[in-house]
Amino acid sequence: MKRLLMNKFVIGLFCTLLALPAMAQEDELKNLAGYVDFGNLSATYGEPKITINLGGTMLNFVGMMSSSESPETSDLISKLKGIRVQIYSIGEDTDAAMHQFGETKSNLQSSGWEPIVQVNEEDEQVLVYMKAVDGNMEGMTVMVVDDEEAVFVNVIGQLNPAELAKVMDRFDVNVDLALD
Amino acid sequence: MNEYDDKWEDHINALLDGELSAGDADLLKAQASDDRELARAIVEAYQLHRAMDQLNVERAPRSLTKRLNAIPREHRSASAFTLFQPRWAMALAVIPLIVITVSLMRPDTPSASEIAKARQEMAIAFAYIDKAAVLTGREIESTVGQTMANAVTGSVNKVIQSENLTSKEKKA
């Protein structure tokens, strides 16, 4: 009996220790001022068709790799601490996505985020919010809900859209965006 | 048994084992000539020695031999290495703790393919942001016209740029 308890204790301790890095990575972003909790729409729409979670460490490596080919891109990336994307295929059932959209918007407003752009159409909602602390940009959030997709993008750190437009041509992005 | 007896007993045993030197043997013989007790002790010891030699050594039963041989093994397994003894559990728990601590203290080095994948993911995120900016600009344009749309989207960029400028000035 005593040995059985000891086995359970050791196995439990092993599992806890092995899960620590994953928890630390998630906490690394959660504790930043520019982090936004988008909730979870998986119960309604299934798993997101695109999920992106990039932390500061990985972005640093991407920035270093980009420095030789484009100092502008490297400079832009160096100001970022994290990038998170969740994209759900929602079909025509927009209720849950719209509800989450409204709830996140409410949370952003109550936690000091500033609206930059908002488009309110009957079949399309677009929202761009920015967070600044003591004059420093800490994050940007883009949310789009239309009759096909719910898109939640959270950039943690400083991102200048004008600089972004300049470097976009350098990325070989081949994605079929439903925002057209 | 006193010290005197001990001395002669050692001599008698050595004599029976054939290990007594010639000098000591003469000495023992001379002493036994004068000491009847000692002489009798030598004779009794010799007879006992002969009787012991005549005893047949009986082989132990096979099962008993096996059991006796197993004793050291059982003793060794019980005390040498038991994985879940508290001291081993602590030692094993410390190993991953050290590995994790070290891995947390120095940044992981991702592979080239992982960095390329991250770059692609980042580009996707940027594409959505860029597209959202285009979309909002288009909505504004369709509502208030091109000139106003440029003015609005331009002012949005200015707002964000001014935040960056403020932060740069503060750093300077």
PDB file of all heavy atoms in Angstrom, chain A residues 137-152:
ATOM      1  N   MET A 137       2.677  51.436 -26.911  1.00  0.00           N
ATOM      2  CA  MET A 137       1.730  50.467 -27.464  1.00  0.00           C
ATOM      3  C   MET A 137       2.068  49.067 -26.952  1.00  0.00           C
ATOM      4  O   MET A 137       3.202  48.626 -27.040  1.00  0.00           O
ATOM      5  CB  MET A 137       1.815  50.489 -28.990  1.00  0.00           C
ATOM      6  CG  MET A 137       0.832  49.556 -29.643  1.00  0.00           C
ATOM      7  SD  MET A 137       0.938  49.652 -31.436  1.00  0.00           S
ATOM      8  CE  MET A 137      -0.185  48.354 -31.900  1.00  0.00           C
ATOM      9  N   GLU A 138       1.066  48.409 -26.375  1.00  0.00           N
ATOM     10  CA  GLU A 138       1.306  47.080 -25.791  1.00  0.00           C
ATOM     11  C   GLU A 138       0.655  45.960 -26.589  1.00  0.00           C
ATOM     12  O   GLU A 138       0.989  44.798 -26.422  1.00  0.00           O
ATOM     13  CB  GLU A 138       0.764  47.033 -24.352  1.00  0.00           C
ATOM     14  CG  GLU A 138       1.477  47.954 -23.381  1.00  0.00           C
ATOM     15  CD  GLU A 138       2.882  47.484 -23.057  1.00  0.00           C
ATOM     16  OE1 GLU A 138       3.193  46.309 -23.310  1.00  0.00           O
ATOM     17  OE2 GLU A 138       3.671  48.309 -22.569  1.00  0.00           O
ATOM     18  N   GLY A 139      -0.324  46.343 -27.452  1.00  0.00           N
ATOM     19  CA  GLY A 139      -0.967  45.282 -28.222  1.00  0.00           C
ATOM     20  C   GLY A 139      -2.005  45.803 -29.181  1.00  0.00           C
ATOM     21  O   GLY A 139      -2.457  46.952 -29.085  1.00  0.00           O
ATOM     22  N   MET A 140      -2.353  44.961 -30.127  1.00  0.00           N
ATOM     23  CA  MET A 140      -3.389  45.295 -31.103  1.00  0.00           C
ATOM     24  C   MET A 140      -4.272  44.065 -31.296  1.00  0.00           C
ATOM     25  O   MET A 140      -3.787  42.933 -31.246  1.00  0.00           O
ATOM     26  CB  MET A 140      -2.756  45.674 -32.436  1.00  0.00           C
ATOM     27  CG  MET A 140      -3.764  45.957 -33.528  1.00  0.00           C
ATOM     28  SD  MET A 140      -2.971  46.266 -35.108  1.00  0.00           S
ATOM     29  CE  MET A 140      -2.666  48.001 -34.974  1.00  0.00           C
ATOM     30  N   THR A 141      -5.548  44.311 -31.479  1.00  0.00           N
ATOM     31  CA  THR A 141      -6.480  43.201 -31.676  1.00  0.00           C
ATOM     32  C   THR A 141      -7.362  43.467 -32.883  1.00  0.00           C
ATOM     33  O   THR A 141      -7.861  44.584 -33.040  1.00  0.00           O
ATOM     34  CB  THR A 141      -7.375  43.037 -30.427  1.00  0.00           C
ATOM     35  OG1 THR A 141      -6.561  42.585 -29.350  1.00  0.00           O
ATOM     36  CG2 THR A 141      -8.458  42.015 -30.663  1.00  0.00           C
ATOM     37  N   VAL A 142      -7.475  42.480 -33.714  1.00  0.00           N
ATOM     38  CA  VAL A 142      -8.358  42.567 -34.872  1.00  0.00           C
ATOM     39  C   VAL A 142      -9.374  41.429 -34.757  1.00  0.00           C
ATOM     40  O   VAL A 142      -8.982  40.269 -34.570  1.00  0.00           O
ATOM     41  CB  VAL A 142      -7.569  42.427 -36.193  1.00  0.00           C
ATOM     42  CG1 VAL A 142      -8.525  42.390 -37.387  1.00  0.00           C
ATOM     43  CG2 VAL A 142      -6.570  43.565 -36.345  1.00  0.00           C
ATOM     44  N   MET A 143     -10.633  41.786 -34.823  1.00  0.00           N
ATOM     45  CA  MET A 143     -11.685  40.758 -34.802  1.00  0.00           C
ATOM     46  C   MET A 143     -12.594  40.969 -36.012  1.00  0.00           C
ATOM     47  O   MET A 143     -13.005  42.105 -36.282  1.00  0.00           O
ATOM     48  CB  MET A 143     -12.511  40.861 -33.525  1.00  0.00           C
ATOM     49  CG  MET A 143     -11.718  40.563 -32.250  1.00  0.00           C
ATOM     50  SD  MET A 143     -12.778  40.394 -30.807  1.00  0.00           S
ATOM     51  CE  MET A 143     -13.303  42.074 -30.566  1.00  0.00           C
ATOM     52  N   VAL A 144     -12.862  39.909 -36.699  1.00  0.00           N
ATOM     53  CA  VAL A 144     -13.750  39.973 -37.865  1.00  0.00           C
ATOM     54  C   VAL A 144     -14.734  38.811 -37.775  1.00  0.00           C
ATOM     55  O   VAL A 144     -14.328  37.670 -37.561  1.00  0.00           O
ATOM     56  CB  VAL A 144     -12.954  39.854 -39.196  1.00  0.00           C
ATOM     57  CG1 VAL A 144     -13.906  39.946 -40.391  1.00  0.00           C
ATOM     58  CG2 VAL A 144     -11.883  40.924 -39.289  1.00  0.00           C
ATOM     59  N   VAL A 145     -15.997  39.121 -37.906  1.00  0.00           N
ATOM     60  CA  VAL A 145     -17.014  38.064 -37.989  1.00  0.00           C
ATOM     61  C   VAL A 145     -17.888  38.354 -39.202  1.00  0.00           C
ATOM     62  O   VAL A 145     -18.474  39.436 -39.309  1.00  0.00           O
ATOM     63  CB  VAL A 145     -17.894  38.006 -36.712  1.00  0.00           C
ATOM     64  CG1 VAL A 145     -18.977  36.937 -36.880  1.00  0.00           C
ATOM     65  CG2 VAL A 145     -17.052  37.691 -35.482  1.00  0.00           C
ATOM     66  N   ASP A 146     -17.897  37.419 -40.141  1.00  0.00           N
ATOM     67  CA  ASP A 146     -18.820  37.544 -41.271  1.00  0.00           C
ATOM     68  C   ASP A 146     -19.602  36.239 -41.391  1.00  0.00           C
ATOM     69  O   ASP A 146     -19.636  35.458 -40.428  1.00  0.00           O
ATOM     70  CB  ASP A 146     -18.064  37.910 -42.563  1.00  0.00           C
ATOM     71  CG  ASP A 146     -17.022  36.868 -42.948  1.00  0.00           C
ATOM     72  OD1 ASP A 146     -17.089  35.732 -42.427  1.00  0.00           O
ATOM     73  OD2 ASP A 146     -16.137  37.168 -43.760  1.00  0.00           O
ATOM     74  N   ASP A 147     -20.200  36.013 -42.525  1.00  0.00           N
ATOM     75  CA  ASP A 147     -21.051  34.815 -42.618  1.00  0.00           C
ATOM     76  C   ASP A 147     -20.271  33.551 -42.989  1.00  0.00           C
ATOM     77  O   ASP A 147     -20.861  32.526 -43.312  1.00  0.00           O
ATOM     78  CB  ASP A 147     -22.206  35.047 -43.601  1.00  0.00           C
ATOM     79  CG  ASP A 147     -21.713  35.477 -44.965  1.00  0.00           C
ATOM     80  OD1 ASP A 147     -20.466  35.506 -45.138  1.00  0.00           O
ATOM     81  OD2 ASP A 147     -22.533  35.790 -45.828  1.00  0.00           O
ATOM     82  N   GLU A 148     -18.953  33.635 -42.940  1.00  0.00           N
ATOM     83  CA  GLU A 148     -18.138  32.443 -43.214  1.00  0.00           C
ATOM     84  C   GLU A 148     -17.164  32.131 -42.078  1.00  0.00           C
ATOM     85  O   GLU A 148     -16.956  30.974 -41.734  1.00  0.00           O
ATOM     86  CB  GLU A 148     -17.341  32.629 -44.513  1.00  0.00           C
ATOM     87  CG  GLU A 148     -18.197  32.614 -45.758  1.00  0.00           C
ATOM     88  CD  GLU A 148     -17.357  32.741 -47.014  1.00  0.00           C
ATOM     89  OE1 GLU A 148     -16.141  32.450 -46.951  1.00  0.00           O
ATOM     90  OE2 GLU A 148     -17.908  33.168 -48.040  1.00  0.00           O
ATOM     91  N   GLU A 149     -16.553  33.190 -41.547  1.00  0.00           N
ATOM     92  CA  GLU A 149     -15.481  32.988 -40.576  1.00  0.00           C
ATOM     93  C   GLU A 149     -15.603  33.927 -39.383  1.00  0.00           C
ATOM     94  O   GLU A 149     -16.196  35.006 -39.489  1.00  0.00           O
ATOM     95  CB  GLU A 149     -14.112  33.279 -41.231  1.00  0.00           C
ATOM     96  CG  GLU A 149     -13.680  32.288 -42.274  1.00  0.00           C
ATOM     97  CD  GLU A 149     -12.310  32.663 -42.830  1.00  0.00           C
ATOM     98  OE1 GLU A 149     -12.017  33.869 -42.926  1.00  0.00           O
ATOM     99  OE2 GLU A 149     -11.541  31.748 -43.135  1.00  0.00           O
ATOM    100  N   ALA A 150     -15.010  33.482 -38.290  1.00  0.00           N
ATOM    101  CA  ALA A 150     -14.771  34.370 -37.149  1.00  0.00           C
ATOM    102  C   ALA A 150     -13.260  34.418 -36.958  1.00  0.00           C
ATOM    103  O   ALA A 150     -12.628  33.377 -36.768  1.00  0.00           O
ATOM    104  CB  ALA A 150     -15.452  33.845 -35.895  1.00  0.00           C
ATOM    105  N   VAL A 151     -12.699  35.614 -37.096  1.00  0.00           N
ATOM    106  CA  VAL A 151     -11.243  35.779 -37.053  1.00  0.00           C
ATOM    107  C   VAL A 151     -10.868  36.603 -35.819  1.00  0.00           C
ATOM    108  O   VAL A 151     -11.414  37.694 -35.617  1.00  0.00           O
ATOM    109  CB  VAL A 151     -10.734  36.499 -38.329  1.00  0.00           C
ATOM    110  CG1 VAL A 151      -9.222  36.688 -38.264  1.00  0.00           C
ATOM    111  CG2 VAL A 151     -11.120  35.721 -39.570  1.00  0.00           C
ATOM    112  N   PHE A 152      -9.972  36.054 -35.014  1.00  0.00           N
ATOM    113  CA  PHE A 152      -9.492  36.770 -33.838  1.00  0.00           C
ATOM    114  C   PHE A 152      -7.962  36.823 -33.904  1.00  0.00           C
ATOM    115  O   PHE A 152      -7.306  35.784 -33.895  1.00  0.00           O
ATOM    116  CB  PHE A 152      -9.923  36.060 -32.548  1.00  0.00           C
ATOM    117  CG  PHE A 152     -11.409  35.959 -32.380  1.00  0.00           C
ATOM    118  CD1 PHE A 152     -12.106  34.850 -32.837  1.00  0.00           C
ATOM    119  CD2 PHE A 152     -12.127  36.985 -31.780  1.00  0.00           C
ATOM    120  CE1 PHE A 152     -13.478  34.748 -32.698  1.00  0.00           C
ATOM    121  CE2 PHE A 152     -13.507  36.898 -31.632  1.00  0.00           C
ATOM    122  CZ  PHE A 152     -14.187  35.777 -32.092  1.00  0.00           C
TER     123      PHE A 152
END
